[in-house]
Amino acid sequence: MIDQRSPEINEVVQDTACYHCGQPCPETLWFEDKSFCCYGCKTVFEILSSNDLCEYYTLDKNAGISQRGLHVETFSYLDEPNVRKQVIAFDSPAFSKVTFFIPAIHCASCIWLLENLQKINTGALRSEVNFARKTVTLDFNPQHTKLSELAGLLSSLGYTPLISLDKNEHTPPLNNKSLLIKLAVAGFCFGNVMLFSFPEYLGIDHSEQFLMRVFSWLNLALSIPVFFYSGFDYFRSASKSFKQKQINIDVPIAVGLLALFLRSSYDIITATGPGYFDSFTGLVFFLLIGRWFQSKTYESLAFDRDFKSYFPLAVHKRVDEAWKPVIIYDLHRSDEIRIRNMEIIPADSILLDDHAYIDYSFVTGESKPVLVKQTETVYAGGRLIGSPVRLVVDKKTSQSQLTSLWNNEVFKKVSESRYQKIIDKAAQRFTWIVMGIALITAIYWQLTKPEEMWLVLTAVLMVACPCALALAAPFTYGNMLRAFGKHQLYLKNADVIERLAVIDSVVFDKTGTITHGSTPEVKFSGELTQEEFTIVKQLTSSSTHPLSSLVSKSIQGNSSEVLSKFKEIPGKGIEGCVANHVFKVGSAVFVGFGGCLDHDASHVFVSIDDEIKGYFSIRISVRKNLGSMLNRLGKKCVALLSGDNESDKERMKKVFNPNVQLHFNQSPHDKLAFIQNLQRSNHKVLMVGDGLNDSGALKQSDVGLAVTDDTGVFTPACDGILHGSRMNDLDKFIHLAKSSTTILKTAFVISFVYNAIALSFAVTGNLTPLVAAILMPISSISVVGFSTLAVNYAAHQKLTS
Amino acid sequence: MIIIVILISISLIIAVGFLISFLWALKSGQYDDTETPAVRMLFNSKSADSKKKENQKN
């Protein structure tokens, strides 16, 4: 190809599309007869082609992520000593280790590419991907490569690392590991104790008294680690709840475990019986399994992010005529900063340059980019679209309009304690009943057979241990959590299900929730040939204006015509000459259109040789099939809260029932206050939102669900993440959560029946170790089996149909 | 009868050994990631042909 650059400014020859990303190439790079728009795309192709992974391109043509406009420089803040210290896991002069969270990891090729980084950058020594957590751990030699270079390399390959100074965000929960160790110890001891108990049950010859004693003492020895290590959490939790004068489920469990252990130890030490150690160890083992089952977490999702993970870590600040990266918390009033295309404004600032387009969609819900002129204020959280601008900081990050939301007390208190769990309510009732029975039994035996009173009393306390009861909740909720996850509702933990079940009011956000967040609907009205369409695409793809890129994306195919005399008139439109025709794309005024169109959409007009051919209307589309879901929600659907202006009101009226309140121009603080008001009138509120502006409402509500079309991108702090395509099943999810309460209560009844049977043995003084050893596992297994089957059946009924 | 006691103690010692080795595996992080290794083992090591290409590139 010959570079036909003519004297006119801004004229670009464009007749090739990038083989990797499909974008037109301003400066074509060639490799193996394929054209690339930039070095980044070429590198990705080179790596893939040299490893026979080109199938990637045959599956989906031009599937790659465009690499243009990404600068290694963006990460230069990582080399600042105080940032570096926080990001790096291990540092020495010749060896460093760092873990990056990369949301883009999604397939085997990603793993392959990321684990071969050392072939691209010699400073990298070794890299290891954790697919579930979407992280890559890099060992590198800091003498050969800088941390910023590695981050830049990842970014240039399309795997931009998400760097956060919040250490907790992507480290796995440590207690899960210690739970597994406890579980392993309990399981081991349980297995062995059971083996040593069999001879007794199978009727060993009583002449073998010596062996019996050996087995008994072994059982005692094996039970000690279970009592003092595996079961310790139950005793600690019980004593804590005593101090708070509240009875939770751990109290009867701790009492039962204590009774079992002391009674069995007494039996063995005094040689009066074989003890109940198999029941004791089995109980702890089953209880821990329940705990482990319930602790299912979605490792790659984060549920407690605040604005810090959305905002950039650092920004370029002018220091003595040079741009230097600084952490955004070190920004002060009247600092001069520079922001590039697609970067986030870190603090409320004043624009120094002529004009800028700011996309506030994530902050206010306003879907169209806003034009900001010189000396006007740009608010923190907006995203710059277009050429780089300079700004002067007006307020510090923590005091900016949006971020001040996090100073609200909602974010300070731990909200979980508001709700008394069903299981603890049941445990309270259960504990009092058992105490009553124990007392009556003790009095009765004291009067009739005082010498056996203690034996019977301990037996009652032993079987009263609500093992099955304690297992019902973890398995019901654990299964429910998995069923939700299968249908793309990822909940933070099992407690959310209980709160979801009692929801009576649902509040929606508009942009990104009711409507699609990022993919607007582009429609063309008028007449254009396919050839002309591709020329329009060619024109619009050269412009950075947000509407241009939307139009460009909506058109398929590429033009092979030569474009000349390309001109962009800011705020009006673009024009260019193709095959002796003058193409103009832009506003109504620009092409000379005098008619009137509806105001709820943006329009881009096209004219050829000053003849108006038609216009593109661009509007954010409403998610499909929402109507039926909203109908089924009925009166539960209370309100729509939008940060947007009222231009969409008519369209929203069609979507929602007439009794739903529609509020526009809502600030993040307004949304929070609205939820608080609802709660004051005793409503249990479910908030469905997606942006930073919903953060307060999501946190304040009883259940806050964040809607996203890509679980890798930022979601504000919430109780659950719902995939956008499942929005129309929202009512079904609530129904399913409700049925989990029914299932749980049924499981309680089953376990009560077993407890009643066991108690009848105990109060009559007939609870032998054999009876306990049979009853305890049967009750546990039947409860676990019931809740698992019932939940899966309910999920199948409600969600699959 | 003493032989049973000896056998049981041997079996217990072996079992405790397994328990300890499991705990060691857990603590050394072998169960941290159960997905990636399954994918990783399917990658072919580089063939001579593709190495040549890479040399050309450099």
Side-chain angles (χ1 to χ4, degrees):
Chain A
M1 201 198 81
I2 314 150
D3 196 355
Q4 298 175 343
R5 209 169 273 255
S6 61
E8 277 112 330
I9 309 159
N10 276 337
E11 190 190 312
V12 178
V13 176
Q14 297 183 332
D15 61 355
T16 46
C18 177
Y19 185 73
H20 178 72
C21 67
Q23 302 261 331
C25 312
E27 292 163 81
T28 315
L29 292 160
W30 292 91
F31 183 76
E32 288 186 355
D33 295 334
K34 282 157 187 112
S35 55
F36 296 94
C37 68
C38 60
Y39 181 72
C41 288
K42 184 169 152 259
T43 314
V44 177
F45 174 76
E46 276 174 11
I47 298 158
L48 295 176
S49 75
S50 62
N51 294 288
D52 302 323
L53 281 169
C54 284
E55 208 178 295
Y56 177 69
Y57 294 102
T58 58
L59 292 173
D60 193 359
K61 219 173 179 205
N62 312 127
I65 309 150
S66 176
Q67 307 302 322
R68 227 177 329 152
L70 291 164
H71 304 278
V72 175
E73 196 198 341
T74 318
F75 292 99
S76 54
Y77 64 86
L78 284 178
D79 295 329
E80 294 287 302
N82 53 346
V83 180
R84 193 187 147 86
K85 209 164 60 194
Q86 292 190 58
V87 173
I88 271 191
F90 175 80
D91 206 4
S92 74
F95 180 85
S96 300
K97 200 183 185 96
V98 66
T99 300
F100 288 125
F101 173 59
I102 302 176
I105 295 176
H106 66 283
C107 63
S109 314
C110 302
I111 302 176
W112 188 90
L113 192 60
L114 291 171
E115 296 203 337
N116 283 286
L117 279 181
Q118 70 275 21
K119 289 180 182 136
I120 310 167
N121 186 321
T122 46
L125 301 170
R126 206 177 73 92
S127 49
E128 197 175 296
V129 174
N130 185 321
F131 191 69
R133 248 176 249 151
K134 299 195 178 187
T135 58
V136 58
T137 305
L138 272 169
D139 298 347
F140 67 100
N141 186 336
Q143 285 164 349
H144 290 159
T145 187
K146 281 193 266 180
L147 186 59
S148 60
E149 280 174 32
L150 287 172
L153 170 68
L154 287 170
S155 174
S156 72
L157 293 173
Y159 297 100
T160 311
L162 208 72
I163 296 158
S164 156
L165 289 188
D166 191 0
K167 283 266 176 197
N168 303 324
E169 195 166 305
H170 287 288
T171 45
L174 280 172
N175 55 359
N176 207 12
K177 219 174 205 179
S178 79
L179 177 64
L180 274 180
I181 296 175
K182 281 174 185 161
L183 185 59
V185 169
F188 170 83
C189 296
F190 168 55
N192 283 292
V193 169
M194 205 164 63
L195 278 181
F196 297 141
S197 304
F198 269 144
E200 170 76 27
Y201 302 149
L202 297 178
I204 194 174
D205 191 350
H206 278 273
S207 57
E208 305 282 3
Q209 270 306 320
F210 168 69
L211 262 186
M212 297 286 291
R213 295 291 293 155
V214 170
F215 288 147
S216 296
W217 281 99
L218 275 172
N219 282 347
L220 177 58
L222 282 166
S223 301
I224 286 170
V226 177
F227 184 80
F228 286 101
Y229 179 65
S230 299
F232 185 69
D233 280 350
Y234 291 98
F235 299 114
R236 193 166 47 193
S237 162
S239 75
K240 208 163 104 188
S241 86
F242 261 132
K243 273 178 207 150
Q244 290 168 348
K245 289 181 184 152
Q246 259 181 345
I247 290 175
N248 64 13
I249 183 72
D250 289 340
V251 172
I253 290 177
V255 171
L257 290 180
L258 200 67
L260 267 171
F261 186 78
L262 292 179
R263 165 75 187 269
S264 308
S265 307
Y266 171 81
D267 280 357
I268 286 170
I269 292 166
T270 57
T272 47
Y276 301 81
F277 278 128
D278 54 337
S279 296
F280 167 72
T281 49
L283 203 69
V284 175
F285 180 56
F286 285 134
L287 287 171
L288 289 175
I289 286 182
R291 240 183 217 198
W292 168 77
F293 188 78
Q294 198 183 17
S295 70
K296 157 111 186 145
T297 49
Y298 298 98
E299 285 179 329
S300 65
L301 300 178
F303 294 102
D304 39 18
R305 289 170 175 165
D306 60 8
F307 69 92
K308 286 179 210 136
S309 3
Y310 178 68
F311 274 38
L313 266 184
V315 68
H316 284 88
K317 180 177 119 175
R318 186 193 281 274
V319 183
D320 306 328
E321 299 304 307
W323 296 103
K324 210 175 151 249
V326 290
I327 299 190
I328 58 168
Y329 304 107
D330 295 339
L331 281 180
H332 295 287
R333 213 191 132 103
S334 73
D335 280 347
E336 190 180 333
I337 55 171
R338 186 179 62 177
I339 304 288
R340 278 186 302 252
N341 187 19
M342 300 309 283
E343 284 184 350
I344 312 277
I345 318 292
D348 290 359
S349 325
I350 290 159
L351 187 66
L352 286 181
D353 287 329
D354 195 40
H355 73 275
Y357 283 102
I358 309 291
D359 172 12
Y360 285 121
S361 59
F362 212 73
V363 180
T364 61
E366 173 74 52
S367 45
K368 286 180 217 163
V370 178
L371 177 69
V372 178
K373 297 216 173 77
Q374 199 165 16
T375 70
E376 285 181 347
T377 305
V378 181
Y379 295 103
R383 188 187 284 275
L384 178 75
I385 293 175
S387 45
V389 294
R390 291 172 305 130
L391 302 156
V392 166
V393 176
D394 187 36
K395 283 176 188 163
K396 290 182 74 168
T397 302
S398 56
Q399 265 117 48
S400 290
Q401 201 181 46
L402 172 74
T403 50
S404 63
L405 181 65
W406 276 265
N407 300 334
N408 193 301
E409 59 180 30
V410 179
F411 289 95
K412 286 174 192 138
K413 69 181 178 204
V414 188
S415 63
E416 308 288 340
S417 57
R418 264 187 299 171
Y419 192 88
Q420 199 196 12
K421 292 186 205 163
I422 297 175
I423 183 74
D424 289 336
K425 272 188 219 161
Q428 250 171 27
R429 220 171 295 161
F430 184 86
T431 310
W432 291 122
I433 294 171
V434 166
M435 290 303 161
I437 293 173
L439 194 70
I440 294 165
T441 320
I443 292 168
Y444 173 80
W445 283 85
Q446 184 67 34
L447 295 177
T448 51
K449 258 189 187 171
E451 70 276 10
E452 280 190 30
M453 192 276 281
W454 279 105
L455 296 182
V456 176
L457 182 63
T458 47
V460 169
L461 291 177
M462 262 157 31
V463 291
C465 182
C467 175
L469 192 70
L471 282 175
F475 275 89
T476 307
Y477 289 136
N479 279 312
M480 205 48 102
L481 213 58
R482 285 163 174 79
F484 280 136
K486 221 192 265 170
H487 294 91
Q488 295 173 302
L489 170 62
Y490 309 100
L491 295 179
K492 186 169 151 189
N493 56 40
D495 297 343
V496 179
I497 300 171
E498 250 182 80
R499 281 182 276 145
L500 190 60
V502 293
I503 289 300
D504 56 17
S505 313
V506 186
V507 176
F508 289 97
D509 167 51
K510 196 196 81 180
T511 317
T513 308
I514 294 298
T515 62
H516 282 285
S518 53
T519 48
E521 197 177 41
V522 181
K523 261 195 207 151
F524 183 76
S525 323
E527 273 179 39
L528 277 183
T529 63
Q530 181 57 32
E531 181 62 29
E532 286 163 340
F533 266 122
T534 55
I535 293 167
V536 170
K537 181 185 173 88
Q538 204 179 347
L539 266 171
T540 50
S541 61
S542 321
S543 160
T544 51
H545 191 280
L547 291 178
S548 295
S549 63
L550 290 175
V551 170
S552 167
K553 266 188 221 158
S554 72
I555 301 171
Q556 301 291 316
N558 277 303
S559 163
S560 54
E561 295 289 335
V562 177
L563 170 73
S564 63
K565 293 180 186 156
F566 176 83
K567 243 197 303 187
E568 176 160 5
I569 300 132
K572 287 185 173 163
I574 43 180
E575 66 174 56
C577 193
V578 180
N580 293 325
H581 293 290
V582 179
F583 279 75
K584 278 185 173 182
V585 181
S587 66
V589 184
F590 184 61
V591 297
F593 180 80
C596 192
L597 290 167
D598 54 337
H599 290 290
D600 62 345
S602 309
H603 302 286
V604 175
F605 290 84
V606 179
S607 78
I608 302 172
D609 295 332
D610 284 333
E611 186 195 338
I612 296 164
K613 289 286 184 184
Y615 58 87
F616 291 91
S617 30
I618 297 155
R619 65 166 85 215
I620 301 285
S621 57
V622 174
R623 284 182 198 278
K624 281 182 191 132
N625 305 329
L626 277 187
S628 54
M629 183 272 284
L630 291 171
N631 265 335
R632 277 172 295 175
L633 272 181
K635 278 186 186 156
K636 272 187 203 154
C637 177
V638 172
L640 171 84
L641 302 178
S642 174
D644 215 340
N645 57 39
E646 291 198 8
S647 68
D648 248 1
K649 196 165 185 172
E650 289 307 311
R651 203 149 62 105
M652 287 300 126
K653 269 187 184 164
K654 281 178 209 154
V655 177
F656 287 94
N657 287 337
N659 56 353
V660 177
Q661 307 170 41
L662 303 177
H663 296 281
F664 291 89
N665 298 316
Q666 297 279 304
S667 76
H669 298 271
D670 293 340
K671 290 188 177 191
L672 200 161
F674 186 87
I675 303 281
Q676 268 173 338
N677 271 335
L678 271 180
Q679 286 173 331
R680 255 180 231 131
S681 46
N682 277 330
H683 285 291
K684 299 274 180 236
V685 188
L686 165 67
M687 173 73 198
V688 188
D690 78 312
L692 274 182
N693 60 330
D694 303 320
S695 298
L698 287 173
K699 185 84 186 171
Q700 175 68 40
S701 58
D702 295 271
V703 179
L705 292 184
V707 177
T708 177
D709 290 306
D710 173 8
T711 49
V713 303
F714 174 86
T715 42
C718 56
D719 298 310
I721 296 174
L722 175 64
H723 196 272
S725 60
R726 304 302 299 221
M727 259 295 278
N728 47 4
D729 287 340
L730 190 67
D731 62 312
K732 294 180 187 167
F733 285 123
I734 298 174
H735 266 286
L736 187 56
K738 278 209 170 98
S739 59
S740 72
T741 313
T742 323
I743 293 168
L744 187 60
K745 284 183 177 157
T746 319
F748 284 174
V749 171
I750 297 176
S751 69
F752 276 131
V753 169
Y754 279 108
N755 272 321
I757 295 171
L759 274 173
S760 69
F761 277 100
V763 290
T764 51
N766 291 323
L767 189 85
T768 60
L770 184 60
V771 173
I774 292 168
L775 266 181
M776 199 265 313
I778 288 181
S779 68
S780 304
I781 289 165
S782 55
V783 163
V784 166
F786 167 76
S787 54
T788 306
L789 288 177
V791 166
N792 284 322
Y793 177 74
H796 184 78
Q797 285 273 303
K798 296 227 155 74
L799 291 177
T800 323
S801 55
Chain B
M1 237 345 102
I2 199 75
I3 190 67
I4 291 183
V5 176
I6 292 169
L7 284 175
I8 283 172
S9 27
I10 291 172
S11 75
L12 253 187
I13 287 164
I14 293 171
V16 167
F18 278 113
L19 178 69
I20 288 169
S21 67
F22 170 74
L23 295 182
W24 166 78
L26 189 71
K27 280 196 169 164
S28 68
Q30 291 184 28
Y31 291 90
D32 284 359
D33 184 6
T34 49
E35 278 175 67
T36 330
V39 181
R40 194 179 290 139
M41 67 178 289
L42 296 175
F43 295 140
N44 293 319
S45 47
K46 268 193 151 190
S47 65
D49 184 46
S50 58
K51 259 184 198 157
K52 227 182 279 167
K53 269 185 199 165
E54 199 174 54
N55 290 342
Q56 278 169 5
K57 187 185 82 190
N58 295 334

